[in-house]
Amino acid sequence: MIDKTAVSLAEVLSQIRDGAAIMIGGFGAAGQPAELMGGLIDLDCASLTPRALTGA
């Protein structure tokens, strides 16, 4: 099995490129990855496509 564990948020964000589709899971405010979403907002990308896994 592939180990997809990341050491830090910076490591994760460094792998995201302009034009990427980002799948985000969670259940309302209790399960949302707030730090990841904040980091995505701070990226200087012209085109990211968010996708919700919750059916919303």
Side-chain angles (χ1 to χ4, degrees):
M1 182 171 282
I2 298 172
D3 182 7
K4 296 182 181 181
T5 304
V7 176
S8 68
L9 179 60
E11 178 186 348
V12 172
L13 293 173
S14 72
Q15 299 176 39
I16 298 172
R17 302 288 177 245
D18 198 16
I22 308 295
M23 304 296 285
I24 299 174
F27 185 74
Q32 73 181 10
E35 288 185 49
L36 173 61
M37 293 190 308
L40 291 171
I41 290 168
D42 292 340
L43 283 179
D44 190 24
C45 290
S47 173
L48 288 178
T49 305
R51 302 279 186 208
L53 298 176
T54 58

Coordinates of all heavy atoms in Angstrom, one line a residue:
M1 N 0.8 -1.2 0.0 CA 0.0 0.0 0.0 C 0.9 1.2 0.0 O 1.9 1.3 0.7 CB -0.9 0.0 1.2 CG -1.9 1.2 1.3 SD -3.1 1.1 2.5 CE -4.2 -0.1 1.8
I2 N 0.5 2.3 -0.7 CA 1.2 3.5 -0.8 C 1.0 4.3 0.5 O -0.1 4.5 0.9 CB 0.8 4.3 -2.0 CG1 1.1 3.5 -3.3 CG2 1.5 5.7 -2.1 CD1 0.5 4.2 -4.5
D3 N 2.1 4.8 1.1 CA 2.0 5.7 2.2 C 1.7 7.1 1.8 O 2.6 7.7 1.1 CB 3.3 5.6 3.0 CG 3.2 6.5 4.3 OD1 2.2 7.0 4.6 OD2 4.3 6.6 4.9
K4 N 0.6 7.7 2.1 CA 0.2 9.0 1.7 C 0.2 10.0 2.8 O -0.4 11.0 2.8 CB -1.2 9.0 1.0 CG -1.2 8.2 -0.2 CD -2.6 8.3 -0.9 CE -2.6 7.4 -2.1 NZ -3.9 7.5 -2.8
T5 N 1.0 9.6 3.9 CA 1.1 10.5 5.1 C 2.0 11.7 4.7 O 3.0 11.6 4.2 CB 1.7 9.7 6.2 OG1 0.9 8.6 6.5 CG2 1.7 10.6 7.5
A6 N 1.5 12.9 5.1 CA 2.3 14.1 4.9 C 2.8 14.6 6.2 O 2.1 14.5 7.3 CB 1.4 15.2 4.3
V7 N 4.0 15.2 6.2 CA 4.6 15.6 7.4 C 4.0 17.0 7.9 O 3.8 17.3 9.0 CB 6.1 15.8 7.3 CG1 6.8 16.4 8.5 CG2 6.7 14.4 7.0
S8 N 3.7 17.8 6.9 CA 3.2 19.2 7.2 C 2.3 19.7 6.1 O 2.2 19.2 5.0 CB 4.4 20.1 7.3 OG 5.0 20.3 6.0
L9 N 1.5 20.7 6.5 CA 0.6 21.3 5.5 C 1.4 21.9 4.4 O 1.0 21.8 3.2 CB -0.2 22.4 6.2 CG -1.1 23.2 5.3 CD1 -2.2 22.3 4.7 CD2 -1.8 24.3 6.1
A10 N 2.6 22.5 4.6 CA 3.4 23.1 3.6 C 3.8 22.0 2.6 O 3.9 22.3 1.4 CB 4.7 23.7 4.2
E11 N 4.1 20.8 3.0 CA 4.5 19.7 2.1 C 3.3 19.4 1.2 O 3.5 19.2 0.0 CB 4.9 18.5 2.9 CG 5.2 17.3 2.1 CD 5.5 16.0 2.9 OE1 5.6 16.1 4.1 OE2 5.5 15.0 2.2
V12 N 2.1 19.3 1.8 CA 0.9 19.1 0.9 C 0.7 20.2 -0.1 O 0.5 19.9 -1.3 CB -0.3 18.9 1.9 CG1 -1.6 18.8 1.0 CG2 -0.2 17.7 2.8
L13 N 0.7 21.4 0.4 CA 0.4 22.5 -0.5 C 1.5 22.7 -1.6 O 1.2 23.1 -2.7 CB 0.3 23.8 0.3 CG -0.9 23.9 1.2 CD1 -0.7 25.2 2.1 CD2 -2.2 23.9 0.5
S14 N 2.7 22.2 -1.4 CA 3.8 22.3 -2.4 C 3.5 21.4 -3.6 O 4.1 21.6 -4.6 CB 5.1 22.0 -1.8 OG 5.3 20.6 -1.5
Q15 N 2.7 20.4 -3.4 CA 2.4 19.5 -4.5 C 1.1 19.8 -5.3 O 0.8 19.2 -6.3 CB 2.2 18.1 -3.9 CG 3.4 17.6 -3.1 CD 3.2 16.3 -2.5 OE1 2.5 15.4 -3.0 NE2 3.7 16.1 -1.3
I16 N 0.5 20.9 -4.9 CA -0.8 21.3 -5.6 C -0.4 22.4 -6.7 O 0.2 23.4 -6.4 CB -1.8 21.9 -4.6 CG1 -2.2 20.8 -3.7 CG2 -3.0 22.4 -5.4 CD1 -3.1 21.2 -2.5
R17 N -0.8 22.1 -7.9 CA -0.5 23.0 -9.0 C -1.7 23.7 -9.5 O -2.9 23.2 -9.3 CB 0.2 22.2 -10.1 CG 1.4 21.5 -9.7 CD 2.6 22.5 -9.5 NE 3.8 21.8 -9.1 CZ 4.3 22.0 -7.9 NH1 3.8 22.8 -7.0 NH2 5.4 21.3 -7.6
D18 N -1.5 24.8 -10.2 CA -2.6 25.5 -10.9 C -3.4 24.5 -11.8 O -2.8 23.7 -12.5 CB -2.1 26.7 -11.7 CG -3.1 27.7 -12.0 OD1 -4.2 27.7 -11.4 OD2 -2.9 28.5 -12.9
G19 N -4.7 24.6 -11.7 CA -5.6 23.7 -12.6 C -6.0 22.4 -11.9 O -6.7 21.7 -12.5
A20 N -5.5 22.2 -10.7 CA -5.8 21.0 -10.0 C -7.3 20.9 -9.5 O -7.9 21.9 -9.2 CB -4.9 20.8 -8.7
A21 N -7.8 19.7 -9.4 CA -9.1 19.5 -8.8 C -8.9 18.9 -7.4 O -8.1 18.0 -7.3 CB -10.0 18.5 -9.6
I22 N -9.4 19.5 -6.4 CA -9.2 19.2 -5.0 C -10.4 18.6 -4.4 O -11.5 19.2 -4.4 CB -8.8 20.4 -4.2 CG1 -7.6 21.2 -4.8 CG2 -8.4 20.0 -2.8 CD1 -6.3 20.4 -4.9
M23 N -10.3 17.3 -4.0 CA -11.5 16.7 -3.3 C -11.4 17.0 -1.8 O -10.3 16.7 -1.2 CB -11.4 15.1 -3.5 CG -11.4 14.8 -5.0 SD -12.9 15.2 -5.9 CE -14.0 14.0 -5.3
I24 N -12.4 17.5 -1.2 CA -12.4 17.8 0.2 C -13.6 17.1 0.9 O -14.8 17.3 0.5 CB -12.6 19.4 0.4 CG1 -11.4 20.1 -0.3 CG2 -12.7 19.7 1.9 CD1 -11.5 21.6 -0.3
G25 N -13.3 16.4 1.9 CA -14.3 15.7 2.7 C -14.6 16.4 4.0 O -13.8 17.3 4.4
G26 N -15.5 15.9 4.7 CA -15.8 16.5 6.0 C -17.3 16.5 6.2 O -18.1 16.3 5.3
F27 N -17.7 16.7 7.4 CA -19.2 16.8 7.8 C -19.4 18.1 8.5 O -19.3 18.2 9.7 CB -19.6 15.6 8.6 CG -21.1 15.6 8.9 CD1 -21.9 15.2 7.9 CD2 -21.6 15.9 10.1 CE1 -23.3 15.1 8.1 CE2 -22.9 15.9 10.3 CZ -23.8 15.5 9.3
G28 N -19.8 19.1 7.7 CA -20.0 20.5 8.3 C -18.8 21.0 8.9 O -17.6 20.6 8.5
A29 N -18.9 21.9 9.8 CA -17.8 22.6 10.5 C -17.0 21.6 11.3 O -15.8 21.8 11.5 CB -18.3 23.7 11.3
A30 N -17.6 20.5 11.8 CA -16.9 19.6 12.7 C -15.8 18.8 11.9 O -14.8 18.4 12.5 CB -17.9 18.7 13.3
G31 N -16.0 18.5 10.7 CA -15.1 17.7 9.9 C -14.3 18.3 8.8 O -13.6 17.7 8.1
Q32 N -14.6 19.6 8.6 CA -13.9 20.3 7.5 C -12.4 20.5 7.8 O -12.1 20.8 8.9 CB -14.6 21.6 7.2 CG -14.3 22.7 8.2 CD -14.9 24.0 7.9 OE1 -15.8 24.1 7.0 NE2 -14.6 25.0 8.6
P33 N -11.6 20.3 6.8 CA -10.2 20.5 6.9 C -9.8 22.0 6.8 O -9.4 22.5 5.8 CB -9.5 19.7 5.8 CG -10.6 19.7 4.7 CD -11.9 19.7 5.5
A34 N -10.1 22.8 7.9 CA -10.0 24.2 7.8 C -8.6 24.7 7.5 O -8.4 25.7 6.7 CB -10.4 24.8 9.2
E35 N -7.5 24.1 8.0 CA -6.2 24.5 7.7 C -5.9 24.3 6.2 O -5.2 25.1 5.6 CB -5.2 23.8 8.6 CG -5.2 24.2 10.0 CD -4.1 23.5 10.8 OE1 -2.9 23.5 10.3 OE2 -4.4 23.0 11.9
L36 N -6.3 23.2 5.7 CA -6.1 22.9 4.3 C -6.8 23.9 3.4 O -6.2 24.5 2.5 CB -6.6 21.5 3.9 CG -6.5 21.1 2.4 CD1 -5.1 21.2 1.8 CD2 -7.1 19.8 2.2
M37 N -8.1 24.2 3.7 CA -8.8 25.2 2.9 C -8.2 26.6 3.0 O -8.1 27.3 2.0 CB -10.3 25.2 3.3 CG -11.0 23.9 3.0 SD -12.8 23.8 3.1 CE -13.0 24.4 4.8
G38 N -7.7 26.9 4.2 CA -7.0 28.2 4.3 C -5.8 28.3 3.5 O -5.4 29.3 2.9
G39 N -5.0 27.2 3.5 CA -3.8 27.1 2.7 C -4.1 27.2 1.2 O -3.3 27.8 0.5
L40 N -5.2 26.5 0.8 CA -5.5 26.6 -0.6 C -5.9 28.0 -1.0 O -5.6 28.5 -2.1 CB -6.7 25.7 -0.9 CG -6.4 24.2 -0.8 CD1 -7.7 23.4 -0.9 CD2 -5.4 23.8 -1.9
I41 N -6.5 28.7 -0.2 CA -6.9 30.1 -0.4 C -5.6 31.0 -0.6 O -5.5 31.9 -1.4 CB -7.8 30.7 0.7 CG1 -9.2 30.0 0.6 CG2 -7.9 32.2 0.6 CD1 -10.1 30.3 1.8
D42 N -4.6 30.7 0.3 CA -3.4 31.5 0.2 C -2.5 31.1 -1.0 O -1.6 31.9 -1.3 CB -2.6 31.2 1.5 CG -3.3 31.8 2.7 OD1 -4.1 32.7 2.5 OD2 -2.9 31.4 3.8
L43 N -2.7 30.0 -1.6 CA -1.9 29.7 -2.8 C -2.2 30.7 -3.9 O -3.3 31.2 -4.0 CB -2.3 28.3 -3.3 CG -1.8 27.0 -2.6 CD1 -2.3 25.8 -3.3 CD2 -0.3 27.0 -2.6
D44 N -1.2 30.9 -4.7 CA -1.4 31.9 -5.8 C -1.7 31.1 -7.1 O -1.0 31.2 -8.0 CB -0.1 32.7 -6.0 CG -0.3 33.9 -6.9 OD1 -1.4 34.3 -7.1 OD2 0.7 34.3 -7.5
C45 N -2.9 30.5 -7.1 CA -3.3 29.7 -8.2 C -4.5 30.4 -8.9 O -5.4 30.9 -8.2 CB -3.7 28.3 -7.8 SG -2.4 27.3 -7.3
A46 N -4.5 30.5 -10.1 CA -5.6 31.2 -10.9 C -6.8 30.2 -11.0 O -7.9 30.7 -11.2 CB -5.1 31.6 -12.2
S47 N -6.5 28.9 -11.0 CA -7.6 28.0 -11.3 C -7.5 26.7 -10.5 O -6.7 25.8 -10.8 CB -7.5 27.6 -12.8 OG -8.4 26.6 -13.1
L48 N -8.3 26.6 -9.4 CA -8.4 25.4 -8.6 C -9.9 25.0 -8.7 O -10.8 25.9 -8.7 CB -8.0 25.6 -7.2 CG -6.6 25.7 -6.9 CD1 -6.3 25.9 -5.4 CD2 -5.8 24.5 -7.4
T49 N -10.2 23.7 -8.8 CA -11.6 23.2 -8.8 C -11.9 22.4 -7.5 O -11.4 21.3 -7.4 CB -11.8 22.4 -10.0 OG1 -11.4 23.1 -11.2 CG2 -13.3 22.0 -10.1
P50 N -12.6 23.0 -6.6 CA -12.9 22.2 -5.4 C -14.1 21.3 -5.6 O -15.0 21.6 -6.4 CB -13.4 23.3 -4.4 CG -13.8 24.4 -5.2 CD -13.1 24.4 -6.5
R51 N -14.0 20.1 -5.0 CA -15.1 19.1 -5.2 C -15.4 18.6 -3.8 O -14.6 18.2 -3.0 CB -14.6 17.9 -6.0 CG -14.1 18.2 -7.4 CD -15.3 18.4 -8.3 NE -14.8 18.5 -9.6 CZ -15.4 19.2 -10.6 NH1 -16.6 19.7 -10.3 NH2 -15.0 19.3 -11.7
A52 N -16.7 18.7 -3.4 CA -17.2 18.2 -2.1 C -17.5 16.7 -2.2 O -18.2 16.3 -3.1 CB -18.4 19.0 -1.7
L53 N -17.0 16.0 -1.2 CA -17.3 14.6 -1.1 C -18.6 14.3 -0.3 O -19.0 13.2 -0.2 CB -16.2 13.8 -0.5 CG -14.8 13.9 -1.2 CD1 -13.8 13.1 -0.4 CD2 -15.0 13.2 -2.6
T54 N -19.2 15.3 0.3 CA -20.3 15.1 1.1 C -21.7 15.2 0.4 O -22.7 15.0 1.0 CB -20.3 16.2 2.2 OG1 -20.4 17.5 1.6 CG2 -19.1 16.1 3.1
G55 N -21.7 15.4 -0.9 CA -22.9 15.5 -1.6 C -23.6 16.9 -1.6 O -24.6 17.0 -2.1
A56 N -22.9 17.8 -1.0 CA -23.5 19.2 -0.9 C -23.1 20.0 -2.1 O -22.3 19.7 -2.9 CB -22.9 19.9 0.4

